[in-house]
């Protein structure tokens, strides 16, 4: 992978992360205000794409011009942030529908006349779990974005 291809790939990751974790609102001063979503979610696909990019770098499948601007510290930081079981991984692998289905399956009240209420309760609990995972991963997500931005900046020089 050459410098331009890697830079474009990282920009793409950053754009997808931005759409996934940030919301924007109009400010009363006329500007746009950026905020971290309560239900920020990183898709498993995006997580896997970032892991694949990191693996490409670590495997040396990059031009020598890239090797001179991407540091070991940056790749180590990404490895730590994206490791299996860490907060970003937990968020990326959380499946709201599966969570709801498990709750419905385990509930003794999930039948006929109570199904709607139990289903709504399970959906609410799944949403709360996603929000909890998002909040827990917030600092790690911001560090991930910061590291990717640093890498992209280094590649643009």
């Amino acid at each position: 992978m050459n410098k331009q291809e890697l830079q474009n790939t990282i920009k793409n990751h950053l754009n997808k992360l931005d759409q996934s974790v940030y919301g924007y609102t109009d400010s009363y001063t006329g500007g746009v205000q950026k905020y971290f979503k309560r239900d920020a979610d990183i898709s498993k696909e995006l997580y896997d794409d970032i892991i694949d990019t990191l693996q490409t770098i670590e495997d040396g499948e990059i031009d020598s011009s890239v090797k001179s601007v991407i540091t070991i510290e940056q790749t180590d930081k990404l490895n730590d942030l994206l490791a299996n079981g860490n907060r970003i991984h937990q968020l990326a692998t959380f499946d709201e529908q599966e969570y709801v289905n498990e709750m419905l399956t385990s509930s003794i009240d999930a039948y006929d006349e109570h199904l709607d209420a139990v289903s709504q309760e399970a959906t609410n609990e799944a949403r709360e779990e996603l929000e909890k995972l998002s909040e827990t991963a917030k600092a790690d997500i911001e560090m991930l974005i910061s590291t990717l931005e640093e890498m992209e900046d280094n590649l643009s020089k």
Side-chain angles (χ1 to χ4, degrees):
M1 183 177 288
N2 69 36
K3 201 173 184 179
Q4 187 64 48
E5 290 170 335
L6 183 57
Q7 184 180 12
N8 289 339
T9 298
I10 291 174
K11 277 183 184 179
N12 188 36
H13 295 331
L14 286 167
N15 286 336
K16 288 180 180 177
L17 282 166
D18 185 77
Q19 293 170 6
S20 299
V21 301
Y22 293 114
Y24 295 87
T25 185
D26 291 334
S27 170
Y28 66 91
T29 60
V32 175
Q33 211 166 25
K34 181 177 176 177
Y35 63 93
F36 193 86
K37 294 179 191 176
R38 283 185 21 201
D39 62 346
D41 191 14
I42 296 175
S43 71
K44 179 72 166 102
E45 179 184 359
L46 175 56
Y47 174 85
D48 289 340
D49 287 347
I50 296 170
I51 293 285
D52 289 345
T53 302
L54 179 59
Q55 194 64 52
T56 297
I57 294 168
E58 291 181 323
D59 289 347
E61 298 172 16
I62 51 177
D63 289 351
S64 58
S65 62
V66 174
K67 292 178 185 177
S68 65
V69 295
I70 301 296
T71 67
I72 292 172
E73 290 81 14
Q74 291 168 328
T75 57
D76 285 349
K77 192 182 298 183
L78 290 179
N79 273 317
D80 290 344
L81 292 168
L82 299 169
N84 281 349
N86 283 359
R87 291 177 279 252
I88 294 174
H89 178 259
Q90 291 173 356
L91 178 62
T93 57
F94 179 70
D95 184 335
E96 278 185 89
Q97 190 58 51
E98 183 178 321
Y99 190 93
V100 168
N101 290 342
E102 287 176 16
M103 292 194 66
L104 290 174
T105 302
S106 66
S107 175
I108 59 172
D109 291 329
Y111 57 89
D112 297 332
E113 68 269 4
H114 294 70
L115 184 58
D116 286 341
V118 172
S119 179
Q120 185 60 48
E121 181 181 330
T123 301
N124 291 343
E125 285 186 37
R127 177 59 46 175
E128 288 171 13
E129 183 65 19
L130 175 62
E131 290 175 4
K132 184 176 112 188
L133 289 169
S134 296
E135 184 60 35
T136 302
K138 181 179 179 182
D140 288 352
I141 293 169
E142 290 173 341
M143 181 62 69
L144 171 66
I145 290 170
S146 173
T147 303
L148 289 171
E149 287 173 338
E150 182 182 305
M151 292 170 77
E152 194 272 327
D153 185 53
N154 288 352
L155 289 164
S156 69
K157 294 178 183 174

